[in-house]
């Protein structure tokens, strides 16, 4: 959640304390940690026991957050509190940049937010997609303190004027059905303001003699970013960086491959000059590890055949340890399926161990048979 304008200490006292008091003691919760910054942001990470159902844990967290809302500042509740279920480690980081000088960082951030982020978040196994230093289009009013002092206007008066004149109101209609009036008209107002000129014409005060003090008289208005807290860089240039987090029970390789396919499909409609890359990919380690394990299995098979034949000097007796290898692998996969285990670095290492142990047993059996025959 966020508390705009508050310091980290204020957030810790007014936001963190009520939330953590309600969250403490949730079933299966091992520990939690929170961070608050001077830009108004607050983040709370909860870690649960492995046997707890993630869906049930998320329901319990949401219930605790609802109980804490009555003790939170109004601005925090208005901004909203969001709960995500995800792994604590980033799966990948996707960077977006553009060779077109007209594509500002603000433009790229909004394009990624509206056209890419939601599609990636809907991929099966993705827990959350986060844009670091996200810059949302926002109408910014830069106030001149000297002019404000001249007119004797404070920030609260300006906020009240903006809230009062920038709203979508239901104005009703002239004439109603069933009345004696022959015609009915629906009334419509200007509603929410959209352009810089409309915000500049907001009336802050009406003085004597009919003089109006507008926003343009005490400051300037521009269409900019909601916040300027961070400016991500990629290869020395401005960029937009999006992190992808997976669910705890999701397959990292499948999620990453589906993410790449999704972005490749969306890239066909990118504005001219816009590019994307993956500067961080956690699955590279997984892929390299799995490849090395497969190579190790192949070497194990080859060395078993070679060493057995060298010492026994008979192809018929060499066949027994060789047949034992696929039998041991099939048996291991059967138990992996029964206990609902996935193929990962730990289970693959187990395949290497079971191959070596079964081959050793097979060699011992062959040697005993040879000794009995002699």
């Amino acid at each position: 959640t966020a508390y705009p304008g508050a310091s980290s200490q204020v957030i810790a006292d007014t936001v963190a304390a009520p939330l953590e008091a309600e969250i403490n003691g949730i079933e299966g919760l091992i520990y939690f940690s929170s961070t608050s910054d001077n830009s108004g942001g607050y983040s709370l990470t909860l870690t649960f026991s492995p046997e707890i159902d993630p869906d049930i844990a998320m329901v319990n967290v949401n219930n605790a957050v609802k109980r804490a809302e009555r003790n939170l500042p109004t601005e925090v509740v208005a901004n909203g509190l969001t709960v995500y279920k995800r792994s604590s480690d980033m799966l990948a980081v996707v960077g977006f940049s553009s060779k077109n000088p007209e594509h500002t960082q603000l433009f790229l951030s909004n394009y990624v937010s509206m056209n890419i982020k939601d599609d990636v978040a809907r991929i099966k196994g993705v827990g959350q997609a986060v844009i670091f230093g996200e810059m949302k289009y926002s109408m910014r009013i830069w106030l001149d303190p000297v002019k404000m002092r001249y007119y004797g206007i404070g920030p609260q008066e300006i906020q009240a004027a903006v809230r009062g004149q920038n709203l979508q109101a239901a104005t009703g209609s002239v004439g109603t059905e069933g009345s004696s009036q022959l015609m009915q008209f629906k009334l419509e107002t200007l509603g929410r303001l959209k352009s810089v000129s409309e915000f500049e014409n907001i009336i802050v005060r009406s003085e004597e003699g009919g003089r109006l003090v507008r926003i343009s008289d005490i400051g300037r208005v521009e269409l900019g970013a909601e916040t300027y807290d961070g400016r991500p860089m990629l290869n020395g240039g401005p960029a937009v960086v999006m992190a992808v987090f997976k669910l705890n029970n999701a397959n990292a390789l499948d999620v990453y491959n589906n993410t790449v396919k999704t972005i490749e499909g969306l890239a066909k409609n990118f504005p001219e000059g816009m590019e994307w890359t993956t500067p961080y990919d956690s699955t590279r380690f997984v892929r390299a590890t799995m490849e090395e394990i497969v190579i190790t299995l192949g070497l194990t098979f080859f060395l078993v055949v070679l060493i057995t034949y060298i010492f026994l000097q008979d192809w018929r007796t060499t066949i027994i340890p060789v047949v034992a290898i696929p039998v041991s692998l099939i048996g291991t996969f059967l138990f992996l399926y029964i206990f609902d285990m996935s193929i990962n670095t730990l289970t693959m290492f187990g395949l290497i161990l079971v191959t070596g142990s079964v081959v050793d047993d097979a060699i011992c059996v062959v040697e005993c048979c040879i000794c009995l025959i002699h």
Side-chain angles (χ1 to χ4, degrees):
T1 187
Y3 191 179
S7 65
S8 57
Q9 185 60 48
V10 172
I11 295 174
D13 296 335
T14 61
V15 179
L19 278 173
E20 294 169 8
E22 292 291 343
I23 288 175
N24 188 28
I26 293 179
E27 180 185 1
L29 179 63
I30 301 176
Y31 62 88
F32 62 85
S33 62
S34 63
T35 57
S36 54
D37 52 53
N38 285 322
S39 62
Y42 172 77
S43 175
L44 175 65
T45 303
L46 299 95
T47 303
F48 287 85
S49 179
E51 63 267 13
I52 297 297
D53 188 345
D55 295 326
I56 299 300
M58 189 170 183
V59 171
N60 293 335
V61 172
N62 277 313
N63 292 337
V65 170
K66 288 296 181 183
R67 293 194 301 268
E69 282 186 355
R70 65 180 184 271
N71 298 322
L72 297 177
T74 307
E75 293 84 353
V76 175
V77 179
N79 284 327
L81 294 92
T82 309
V83 180
Y84 292 97
K85 177 182 61 175
R86 73 181 196 190
S87 172
S88 59
D89 297 328
M90 285 188 296
L91 175 66
V93 173
V94 186
F96 300 90
S97 59
S98 179
K99 297 180 179 178
N100 191 338
E102 297 181 356
H103 294 165
T104 63
Q105 196 167 21
L106 178 60
F107 170 83
L108 291 175
S109 179
N110 280 270
Y111 185 89
V112 174
S113 177
M114 293 186 295
N115 299 283
I116 301 176
K117 178 182 175 181
D118 293 338
D119 291 70
V120 173
R122 286 194 295 266
I123 296 175
K124 183 179 179 181
V126 172
Q128 185 185 13
V130 181
I131 299 177
F132 291 146
E134 184 175 3
M135 303 172 69
K136 300 180 181 178
Y137 276 121
S138 179
M139 199 66 69
R140 299 190 66 91
I141 301 176
W142 301 92
L143 301 176
D144 188 335
V146 177
K147 294 181 179 179
M148 291 174 59
R149 182 179 180 182
Y150 173 78
Y151 289 106
I153 296 176
Q156 295 78 9
E157 189 174 354
I158 300 174
Q159 290 179 355
V162 173
R163 290 195 184 102
Q165 300 175 48
N166 180 33
L167 54 84
Q168 189 71 46
T171 54
S173 60
V174 176
T176 58
E177 295 182 2
S179 65
S180 59
Q181 298 180 6
L182 299 179
M183 303 187 69
Q184 180 181 0
F185 298 94
K186 183 67 177 177
L187 299 180
E188 294 184 358
T189 58
L190 179 62
R192 295 223 175 245
L193 308 179
K194 300 179 181 178
S195 64
V196 173
S197 59
E198 291 175 345
F199 275 88
E200 289 177 339
N201 290 323
I202 292 179
I203 299 174
V204 180
R205 179 187 294 175
S206 178
E207 297 184 341
E208 296 180 2
R211 174 173 172 76
L212 302 177
V213 179
R214 305 177 187 273
I215 292 291
S216 58
D217 297 327
I218 56 176
R220 62 182 178 88
V221 182
E222 71 171 5
L223 180 61
E226 182 178 1
T227 60
Y228 293 95
D229 295 334
R231 288 185 176 273
M233 306 290 288
L234 181 63
N235 295 328
V240 176
V241 178
M242 181 179 67
V244 180
F245 296 85
K246 73 178 187 68
L247 297 175
N248 286 325
N249 57 352
N251 185 289
L253 296 177
D254 290 342
V255 175
Y256 178 80
N257 292 334
N258 292 333
T259 301
V260 171
K261 290 180 182 178
T262 300
I263 298 178
E264 286 178 347
L266 297 173
K268 299 176 181 178
N269 300 320
F270 280 2
E272 185 177 356
M274 185 173 173
E275 302 174 340
W276 72 280
T277 183
T278 52
Y280 174 75
D281 175 15
S282 64
T283 62
R284 294 175 184 173
F285 168 78
V286 178
R287 297 175 191 274
T289 304
M290 298 294 283
E291 291 175 359
E292 290 297 326
I293 291 177
V294 172
I295 293 174
T296 303
L297 282 173
L299 291 175
T300 302
F301 185 85
F302 174 76
L303 291 175
V304 166
V305 174
L306 179 63
I307 295 174
T308 304
Y309 177 75
I310 291 176
F311 281 92
L312 299 181
Q313 295 294 318
D314 187 4
W315 279 109
R316 296 179 60 184
T317 54
T318 305
I319 293 176
I320 298 176
V322 172
V323 174
I325 294 177
V327 172
S328 63
L329 294 178
I330 294 173
T332 304
F333 279 116
L334 176 63
F335 279 95
L336 291 178
Y337 177 77
I338 293 175
F339 290 102
D340 194 24
M341 294 182 178
S342 63
I343 298 298
N344 50 50
T345 55
L346 185 62
T347 54
M348 289 293 284
F349 182 68
L351 293 178
I352 297 176
L353 293 179
V354 73
T355 300
S357 61
V358 171
V359 166
D360 290 341
D361 295 338
I363 293 174
C364 292
V365 170
V366 171
E367 291 177 345
C368 291
C369 293
I370 293 175
C371 292
L372 291 174
I373 293 174
H374 288 294

